[in-house]
Amino acid sequence: MKEIHPGIHEHSGKLYTKNLVPGETVYGEKTVDEKGEEFREWEPGRSKLGAAIKNGLPETGIKKDSKVLYLGAASGTTVSHVSDIARKGVVFGIEYSKKVVRDLLRNSKKRENVCPILGDARKPSEYSNIVDKVDIVFQDVAQPDQAKIFRKNCDKFLKDSGIGLLAIKSQSISSSRPAKEIFREQEEKMKKFFEIKWKSGLEPHEEGHMFYLLEKK
Ligand SMILES: C[S@@+](CC[C@H](N)C(=O)[O-])C[C@H]1O[C@@H](n2cnc3c(N)ncnc32)[C@H](O)[C@@H]1O
């Protein structure tokens, strides 16, 4: 097992994080034991962050003691791996579907560093009494106004030196226009506020997305 980023390991082409809650899995992922420690396989086909790492994301910015704001937490698949990495930090998971947040609560019950929040990422004031300044803002919400939602949250919560991780889904913006044109337009908007440090599509793991590593200007 080789550590390729803080808290992220690779073995035989597969990604792993060290399980914060040994004996418990979150989405049916496989586990392996090495030197008495349990690692959970991180499936890139189930996680855009996992896919970005497989496609060469040069850094995640996430460290052992990081505070992470995760927008679009869903049932907690990727959140669980972020929680394995930021094991002494905190992951604020924002999810606006009541039904989905129930799964997130169940999946993160034993993960003491995960704080599931039922809230709309378009309205950061709904959770500003819980979330404080963070090192990383991650977003995967698949909405037409993805870039605007991201900037609003970064303005309010991201530290000056903070890192943004953003997955943009072109089809959520328009299914009739070419994806390339949509990504270019979104990038022009982002460039006013962020430096784009790296970007990549997520194929073959996920179609129709561009993933960005951003630094606040
Ligand atoms: C593509 S899924 C995220 C998957 C997740 N990132 C993972 O890898 O496990 C998008 C999620 O964002 C949520 N979402 C969409 N718009 C939202 C908003 N405005 N506020 C909060 N959550 C939102 C959806 O309910 C959905 O669960």
Side-chain angles (χ1 to χ4, degrees), residues 46-48 70 72-74 76-79 94-97 100 119-122 138 140-143 149:
R46 304 277 303 272
S47 163
K48 276 146 223 150
Y70 192 116
T77 300
T78 304
V79 164
I94 313 295
E95 173 53 57
Y96 78 165
S97 157
V100 176
D120 185 344
R122 288 194 178 93
F138 178 98
D140 176 20
V141 294
Q143 292 286 357
I149 294 174

PDB file of all heavy atoms in Angstrom, residues 46-48 70 72-74 76-79 94-97 100 119-122 138 140-143 149, ligand 1:
ATOM      1  N   ARG A  46     -17.934   5.376  -8.374  1.00  0.00           N
ATOM      2  CA  ARG A  46     -18.984   5.778  -7.426  1.00  0.00           C
ATOM      3  C   ARG A  46     -18.707   7.133  -6.791  1.00  0.00           C
ATOM      4  O   ARG A  46     -19.486   7.590  -5.948  1.00  0.00           O
ATOM      5  CB  ARG A  46     -19.093   4.728  -6.300  1.00  0.00           C
ATOM      6  CG  ARG A  46     -19.340   3.299  -6.753  1.00  0.00           C
ATOM      7  CD  ARG A  46     -20.798   3.026  -7.012  1.00  0.00           C
ATOM      8  NE  ARG A  46     -21.653   3.286  -5.860  1.00  0.00           N
ATOM      9  CZ  ARG A  46     -21.924   2.395  -4.910  1.00  0.00           C
ATOM     10  NH1 ARG A  46     -21.409   1.188  -4.985  1.00  0.00           N
ATOM     11  NH2 ARG A  46     -22.721   2.705  -3.910  1.00  0.00           N
ATOM     12  N   SER A  47     -17.579   7.747  -7.150  1.00  0.00           N
ATOM     13  CA  SER A  47     -17.160   8.965  -6.459  1.00  0.00           C
ATOM     14  C   SER A  47     -16.370   9.865  -7.408  1.00  0.00           C
ATOM     15  O   SER A  47     -15.337   9.443  -7.945  1.00  0.00           O
ATOM     16  CB  SER A  47     -16.280   8.566  -5.263  1.00  0.00           C
ATOM     17  OG  SER A  47     -15.539   9.675  -4.793  1.00  0.00           O
ATOM     18  N   LYS A  48     -16.866  11.099  -7.600  1.00  0.00           N
ATOM     19  CA  LYS A  48     -16.159  11.992  -8.543  1.00  0.00           C
ATOM     20  C   LYS A  48     -14.776  12.380  -8.016  1.00  0.00           C
ATOM     21  O   LYS A  48     -13.838  12.549  -8.789  1.00  0.00           O
ATOM     22  CB  LYS A  48     -17.004  13.222  -8.849  1.00  0.00           C
ATOM     23  CG  LYS A  48     -17.991  12.927  -9.948  1.00  0.00           C
ATOM     24  CD  LYS A  48     -19.281  13.658  -9.780  1.00  0.00           C
ATOM     25  CE  LYS A  48     -20.426  12.724 -10.072  1.00  0.00           C
ATOM     26  NZ  LYS A  48     -21.633  13.048  -9.320  1.00  0.00           N
ATOM     27  N   TYR A  70     -18.686  20.098   2.535  1.00  0.00           N
ATOM     28  CA  TYR A  70     -19.015  19.217   1.412  1.00  0.00           C
ATOM     29  C   TYR A  70     -20.454  19.501   0.982  1.00  0.00           C
ATOM     30  O   TYR A  70     -21.397  19.207   1.713  1.00  0.00           O
ATOM     31  CB  TYR A  70     -18.845  17.766   1.861  1.00  0.00           C
ATOM     32  CG  TYR A  70     -18.878  16.763   0.737  1.00  0.00           C
ATOM     33  CD1 TYR A  70     -17.774  15.988   0.430  1.00  0.00           C
ATOM     34  CD2 TYR A  70     -20.023  16.588  -0.039  1.00  0.00           C
ATOM     35  CE1 TYR A  70     -17.799  15.067  -0.613  1.00  0.00           C
ATOM     36  CE2 TYR A  70     -20.055  15.678  -1.087  1.00  0.00           C
ATOM     37  CZ  TYR A  70     -18.951  14.931  -1.359  1.00  0.00           C
ATOM     38  OH  TYR A  70     -18.980  14.020  -2.392  1.00  0.00           O
ATOM     39  N   GLY A  72     -23.616  18.823  -1.363  1.00  0.00           N
ATOM     40  CA  GLY A  72     -24.165  17.718  -2.155  1.00  0.00           C
ATOM     41  C   GLY A  72     -23.664  16.398  -1.606  1.00  0.00           C
ATOM     42  O   GLY A  72     -23.116  15.561  -2.328  1.00  0.00           O
ATOM     43  N   ALA A  73     -23.860  16.224  -0.298  1.00  0.00           N
ATOM     44  CA  ALA A  73     -23.268  15.076   0.411  1.00  0.00           C
ATOM     45  C   ALA A  73     -23.899  13.746   0.013  1.00  0.00           C
ATOM     46  O   ALA A  73     -23.285  12.690   0.178  1.00  0.00           O
ATOM     47  CB  ALA A  73     -23.400  15.280   1.917  1.00  0.00           C
ATOM     48  N   ALA A  74     -25.131  13.792  -0.499  1.00  0.00           N
ATOM     49  CA  ALA A  74     -25.897  12.583  -0.850  1.00  0.00           C
ATOM     50  C   ALA A  74     -25.888  11.599   0.336  1.00  0.00           C
ATOM     51  O   ALA A  74     -25.928  12.030   1.495  1.00  0.00           O
ATOM     52  CB  ALA A  74     -25.368  11.970  -2.145  1.00  0.00           C
ATOM     53  N   GLY A  76     -23.493   9.838   1.386  1.00  0.00           N
ATOM     54  CA  GLY A  76     -22.230   9.825   2.134  1.00  0.00           C
ATOM     55  C   GLY A  76     -21.135   8.937   1.581  1.00  0.00           C
ATOM     56  O   GLY A  76     -20.168   8.643   2.298  1.00  0.00           O
ATOM     57  N   THR A  77     -21.252   8.548   0.309  1.00  0.00           N
ATOM     58  CA  THR A  77     -20.214   7.689  -0.289  1.00  0.00           C
ATOM     59  C   THR A  77     -18.848   8.385  -0.232  1.00  0.00           C
ATOM     60  O   THR A  77     -17.912   7.899   0.413  1.00  0.00           O
ATOM     61  CB  THR A  77     -20.588   7.352  -1.752  1.00  0.00           C
ATOM     62  OG1 THR A  77     -21.836   6.672  -1.744  1.00  0.00           O
ATOM     63  CG2 THR A  77     -19.543   6.484  -2.411  1.00  0.00           C
ATOM     64  N   THR A  78     -18.740   9.532  -0.911  1.00  0.00           N
ATOM     65  CA  THR A  78     -17.455  10.240  -0.928  1.00  0.00           C
ATOM     66  C   THR A  78     -17.169  10.872   0.427  1.00  0.00           C
ATOM     67  O   THR A  78     -16.017  10.886   0.878  1.00  0.00           O
ATOM     68  CB  THR A  78     -17.446  11.305  -2.049  1.00  0.00           C
ATOM     69  OG1 THR A  78     -17.748  10.660  -3.280  1.00  0.00           O
ATOM     70  CG2 THR A  78     -16.092  11.980  -2.174  1.00  0.00           C
ATOM     71  N   VAL A  79     -18.222  11.356   1.084  1.00  0.00           N
ATOM     72  CA  VAL A  79     -18.053  11.935   2.430  1.00  0.00           C
ATOM     73  C   VAL A  79     -17.302  10.957   3.332  1.00  0.00           C
ATOM     74  O   VAL A  79     -16.420  11.346   4.094  1.00  0.00           O
ATOM     75  CB  VAL A  79     -19.434  12.292   3.049  1.00  0.00           C
ATOM     76  CG1 VAL A  79     -19.329  12.521   4.555  1.00  0.00           C
ATOM     77  CG2 VAL A  79     -20.031  13.520   2.373  1.00  0.00           C
ATOM     78  N   ILE A  94     -23.561  18.952   3.501  1.00  0.00           N
ATOM     79  CA  ILE A  94     -24.834  19.639   3.238  1.00  0.00           C
ATOM     80  C   ILE A  94     -25.606  18.848   2.182  1.00  0.00           C
ATOM     81  O   ILE A  94     -25.086  18.562   1.098  1.00  0.00           O
ATOM     82  CB  ILE A  94     -24.596  21.083   2.700  1.00  0.00           C
ATOM     83  CG1 ILE A  94     -23.558  21.841   3.533  1.00  0.00           C
ATOM     84  CG2 ILE A  94     -25.922  21.839   2.595  1.00  0.00           C
ATOM     85  CD1 ILE A  94     -23.937  22.134   4.950  1.00  0.00           C
ATOM     86  N   GLU A  95     -26.852  18.539   2.518  1.00  0.00           N
ATOM     87  CA  GLU A  95     -27.703  17.781   1.588  1.00  0.00           C
ATOM     88  C   GLU A  95     -29.126  18.310   1.745  1.00  0.00           C
ATOM     89  O   GLU A  95     -29.602  18.446   2.864  1.00  0.00           O
ATOM     90  CB  GLU A  95     -27.616  16.286   1.923  1.00  0.00           C
ATOM     91  CG  GLU A  95     -28.558  15.394   1.158  1.00  0.00           C
ATOM     92  CD  GLU A  95     -28.492  15.543  -0.359  1.00  0.00           C
ATOM     93  OE1 GLU A  95     -27.429  15.384  -0.950  1.00  0.00           O
ATOM     94  OE2 GLU A  95     -29.551  15.846  -0.956  1.00  0.00           O
ATOM     95  N   TYR A  96     -29.799  18.614   0.611  1.00  0.00           N
ATOM     96  CA  TYR A  96     -31.123  19.248   0.749  1.00  0.00           C
ATOM     97  C   TYR A  96     -32.296  18.276   0.630  1.00  0.00           C
ATOM     98  O   TYR A  96     -33.434  18.677   0.848  1.00  0.00           O
ATOM     99  CB  TYR A  96     -31.270  20.448  -0.162  1.00  0.00           C
ATOM    100  CG  TYR A  96     -31.551  20.197  -1.640  1.00  0.00           C
ATOM    101  CD1 TYR A  96     -32.004  21.250  -2.431  1.00  0.00           C
ATOM    102  CD2 TYR A  96     -31.375  18.969  -2.261  1.00  0.00           C
ATOM    103  CE1 TYR A  96     -32.259  21.092  -3.776  1.00  0.00           C
ATOM    104  CE2 TYR A  96     -31.616  18.789  -3.596  1.00  0.00           C
ATOM    105  CZ  TYR A  96     -32.064  19.849  -4.353  1.00  0.00           C
ATOM    106  OH  TYR A  96     -32.316  19.676  -5.682  1.00  0.00           O
ATOM    107  N   SER A  97     -32.043  17.025   0.293  1.00  0.00           N
ATOM    108  CA  SER A  97     -33.147  16.073   0.203  1.00  0.00           C
ATOM    109  C   SER A  97     -33.318  15.390   1.571  1.00  0.00           C
ATOM    110  O   SER A  97     -32.386  14.749   2.071  1.00  0.00           O
ATOM    111  CB  SER A  97     -32.844  15.036  -0.882  1.00  0.00           C
ATOM    112  OG  SER A  97     -33.582  13.863  -0.635  1.00  0.00           O
ATOM    113  N   VAL A 100     -32.685  11.647   1.385  1.00  0.00           N
ATOM    114  CA  VAL A 100     -31.268  11.278   1.233  1.00  0.00           C
ATOM    115  C   VAL A 100     -30.490  11.553   2.517  1.00  0.00           C
ATOM    116  O   VAL A 100     -29.607  10.793   2.910  1.00  0.00           O
ATOM    117  CB  VAL A 100     -30.659  12.030   0.016  1.00  0.00           C
ATOM    118  CG1 VAL A 100     -29.185  11.750  -0.112  1.00  0.00           C
ATOM    119  CG2 VAL A 100     -31.379  11.637  -1.273  1.00  0.00           C
ATOM    120  N   GLY A 119     -29.827  21.035   4.474  1.00  0.00           N
ATOM    121  CA  GLY A 119     -29.819  22.452   4.099  1.00  0.00           C
ATOM    122  C   GLY A 119     -29.641  22.605   2.604  1.00  0.00           C
ATOM    123  O   GLY A 119     -29.212  21.677   1.916  1.00  0.00           O
ATOM    124  N   ASP A 120     -30.007  23.790   2.116  1.00  0.00           N
ATOM    125  CA  ASP A 120     -29.900  24.100   0.696  1.00  0.00           C
ATOM    126  C   ASP A 120     -28.613  24.885   0.467  1.00  0.00           C
ATOM    127  O   ASP A 120     -28.438  25.973   1.022  1.00  0.00           O
ATOM    128  CB  ASP A 120     -31.126  24.929   0.286  1.00  0.00           C
ATOM    129  CG  ASP A 120     -31.169  25.209  -1.205  1.00  0.00           C
ATOM    130  OD1 ASP A 120     -30.138  25.045  -1.885  1.00  0.00           O
ATOM    131  OD2 ASP A 120     -32.254  25.596  -1.684  1.00  0.00           O
ATOM    132  N   ALA A 121     -27.730  24.341  -0.358  1.00  0.00           N
ATOM    133  CA  ALA A 121     -26.430  24.984  -0.614  1.00  0.00           C
ATOM    134  C   ALA A 121     -26.587  26.364  -1.262  1.00  0.00           C
ATOM    135  O   ALA A 121     -25.650  27.154  -1.277  1.00  0.00           O
ATOM    136  CB  ALA A 121     -25.579  24.082  -1.490  1.00  0.00           C
ATOM    137  N   ARG A 122     -27.772  26.652  -1.794  1.00  0.00           N
ATOM    138  CA  ARG A 122     -28.019  27.992  -2.359  1.00  0.00           C
ATOM    139  C   ARG A 122     -28.196  29.031  -1.256  1.00  0.00           C
ATOM    140  O   ARG A 122     -28.171  30.227  -1.512  1.00  0.00           O
ATOM    141  CB  ARG A 122     -29.306  27.999  -3.195  1.00  0.00           C
ATOM    142  CG  ARG A 122     -29.179  27.270  -4.487  1.00  0.00           C
ATOM    143  CD  ARG A 122     -30.371  27.610  -5.388  1.00  0.00           C
ATOM    144  NE  ARG A 122     -30.223  26.929  -6.655  1.00  0.00           N
ATOM    145  CZ  ARG A 122     -30.745  25.734  -6.930  1.00  0.00           C
ATOM    146  NH1 ARG A 122     -31.469  25.099  -6.029  1.00  0.00           N
ATOM    147  NH2 ARG A 122     -30.537  25.187  -8.104  1.00  0.00           N
ATOM    148  N   PHE A 138     -15.806  21.478  -1.084  1.00  0.00           N
ATOM    149  CA  PHE A 138     -16.009  20.484  -2.142  1.00  0.00           C
ATOM    150  C   PHE A 138     -17.456  20.609  -2.599  1.00  0.00           C
ATOM    151  O   PHE A 138     -18.358  20.733  -1.770  1.00  0.00           O
ATOM    152  CB  PHE A 138     -15.762  19.075  -1.578  1.00  0.00           C
ATOM    153  CG  PHE A 138     -16.001  17.990  -2.596  1.00  0.00           C
ATOM    154  CD1 PHE A 138     -14.936  17.447  -3.288  1.00  0.00           C
ATOM    155  CD2 PHE A 138     -17.279  17.537  -2.878  1.00  0.00           C
ATOM    156  CE1 PHE A 138     -15.144  16.466  -4.252  1.00  0.00           C
ATOM    157  CE2 PHE A 138     -17.499  16.560  -3.837  1.00  0.00           C
ATOM    158  CZ  PHE A 138     -16.429  16.019  -4.524  1.00  0.00           C
ATOM    159  N   ASP A 140     -20.493  18.977  -5.370  1.00  0.00           N
ATOM    160  CA  ASP A 140     -20.997  18.078  -6.413  1.00  0.00           C
ATOM    161  C   ASP A 140     -22.516  18.097  -6.285  1.00  0.00           C
ATOM    162  O   ASP A 140     -23.091  17.225  -5.652  1.00  0.00           O
ATOM    163  CB  ASP A 140     -20.428  16.660  -6.174  1.00  0.00           C
ATOM    164  CG  ASP A 140     -20.975  15.637  -7.154  1.00  0.00           C
ATOM    165  OD1 ASP A 140     -21.480  16.032  -8.219  1.00  0.00           O
ATOM    166  OD2 ASP A 140     -20.879  14.425  -6.854  1.00  0.00           O
ATOM    167  N   VAL A 141     -23.145  19.161  -6.855  1.00  0.00           N
ATOM    168  CA  VAL A 141     -24.595  19.287  -6.669  1.00  0.00           C
ATOM    169  C   VAL A 141     -25.413  19.114  -7.951  1.00  0.00           C
ATOM    170  O   VAL A 141     -26.635  19.018  -7.887  1.00  0.00           O
ATOM    171  CB  VAL A 141     -25.007  20.634  -6.005  1.00  0.00           C
ATOM    172  CG1 VAL A 141     -24.515  20.729  -4.584  1.00  0.00           C
ATOM    173  CG2 VAL A 141     -24.576  21.834  -6.827  1.00  0.00           C
ATOM    174  N   ALA A 142     -24.752  19.111  -9.125  1.00  0.00           N
ATOM    175  CA  ALA A 142     -25.459  18.918 -10.395  1.00  0.00           C
ATOM    176  C   ALA A 142     -26.672  19.835 -10.524  1.00  0.00           C
ATOM    177  O   ALA A 142     -27.813  19.370 -10.630  1.00  0.00           O
ATOM    178  CB  ALA A 142     -25.860  17.441 -10.540  1.00  0.00           C
ATOM    179  N   GLN A 143     -26.431  21.128 -10.490  1.00  0.00           N
ATOM    180  CA  GLN A 143     -27.499  22.124 -10.621  1.00  0.00           C
ATOM    181  C   GLN A 143     -27.126  23.127 -11.718  1.00  0.00           C
ATOM    182  O   GLN A 143     -25.940  23.331 -11.981  1.00  0.00           O
ATOM    183  CB  GLN A 143     -27.659  22.896  -9.299  1.00  0.00           C
ATOM    184  CG  GLN A 143     -28.203  22.090  -8.149  1.00  0.00           C
ATOM    185  CD  GLN A 143     -29.690  21.809  -8.274  1.00  0.00           C
ATOM    186  OE1 GLN A 143     -30.347  22.271  -9.205  1.00  0.00           O
ATOM    187  NE2 GLN A 143     -30.216  21.021  -7.359  1.00  0.00           N
ATOM    188  N   ILE A 149     -23.482  28.807  -6.814  1.00  0.00           N
ATOM    189  CA  ILE A 149     -23.617  28.163  -5.493  1.00  0.00           C
ATOM    190  C   ILE A 149     -22.235  28.014  -4.858  1.00  0.00           C
ATOM    191  O   ILE A 149     -22.017  28.312  -3.681  1.00  0.00           O
ATOM    192  CB  ILE A 149     -24.302  26.773  -5.627  1.00  0.00           C
ATOM    193  CG1 ILE A 149     -25.744  26.910  -6.090  1.00  0.00           C
ATOM    194  CG2 ILE A 149     -24.226  26.004  -4.314  1.00  0.00           C
ATOM    195  CD1 ILE A 149     -26.445  25.578  -6.391  1.00  0.00           C
TER     196      ILE A 149
HETATM  197  C1  LIG B   1     -24.434  13.760  -7.667  1.00  0.00           C
HETATM  198  S1  LIG B   1     -25.052  13.698  -6.054  1.00  0.00           S
HETATM  199  C2  LIG B   1     -23.629  13.784  -5.022  1.00  0.00           C
HETATM  200  C3  LIG B   1     -22.873  12.497  -4.841  1.00  0.00           C
HETATM  201  C4  LIG B   1     -21.802  12.617  -3.787  1.00  0.00           C
HETATM  202  N1  LIG B   1     -20.910  13.709  -4.084  1.00  0.00           N
HETATM  203  C5  LIG B   1     -20.944  11.362  -3.651  1.00  0.00           C
HETATM  204  O1  LIG B   1     -19.957  11.205  -4.354  1.00  0.00           O
HETATM  205  O2  LIG B   1     -21.267  10.529  -2.793  1.00  0.00           O
HETATM  206  C6  LIG B   1     -25.708  15.296  -5.847  1.00  0.00           C
HETATM  207  C7  LIG B   1     -26.394  15.513  -4.519  1.00  0.00           C
HETATM  208  O3  LIG B   1     -26.537  16.919  -4.328  1.00  0.00           O
HETATM  209  C8  LIG B   1     -27.784  17.160  -3.706  1.00  0.00           C
HETATM  210  N2  LIG B   1     -28.128  18.572  -3.999  1.00  0.00           N
HETATM  211  C9  LIG B   1     -28.507  19.094  -5.194  1.00  0.00           C
HETATM  212  N3  LIG B   1     -28.743  20.410  -5.069  1.00  0.00           N
HETATM  213  C10 LIG B   1     -28.512  20.729  -3.777  1.00  0.00           C
HETATM  214  C11 LIG B   1     -28.584  21.937  -3.035  1.00  0.00           C
HETATM  215  N4  LIG B   1     -28.958  23.083  -3.607  1.00  0.00           N
HETATM  216  N5  LIG B   1     -28.271  21.900  -1.725  1.00  0.00           N
HETATM  217  C12 LIG B   1     -27.886  20.730  -1.127  1.00  0.00           C
HETATM  218  N6  LIG B   1     -27.816  19.563  -1.782  1.00  0.00           N
HETATM  219  C13 LIG B   1     -28.111  19.543  -3.090  1.00  0.00           C
HETATM  220  C14 LIG B   1     -28.719  16.128  -4.342  1.00  0.00           C
HETATM  221  O4  LIG B   1     -29.857  15.887  -3.537  1.00  0.00           O
HETATM  222  C15 LIG B   1     -27.795  14.914  -4.455  1.00  0.00           C
HETATM  223  O5  LIG B   1     -27.894  14.092  -3.315  1.00  0.00           O
END
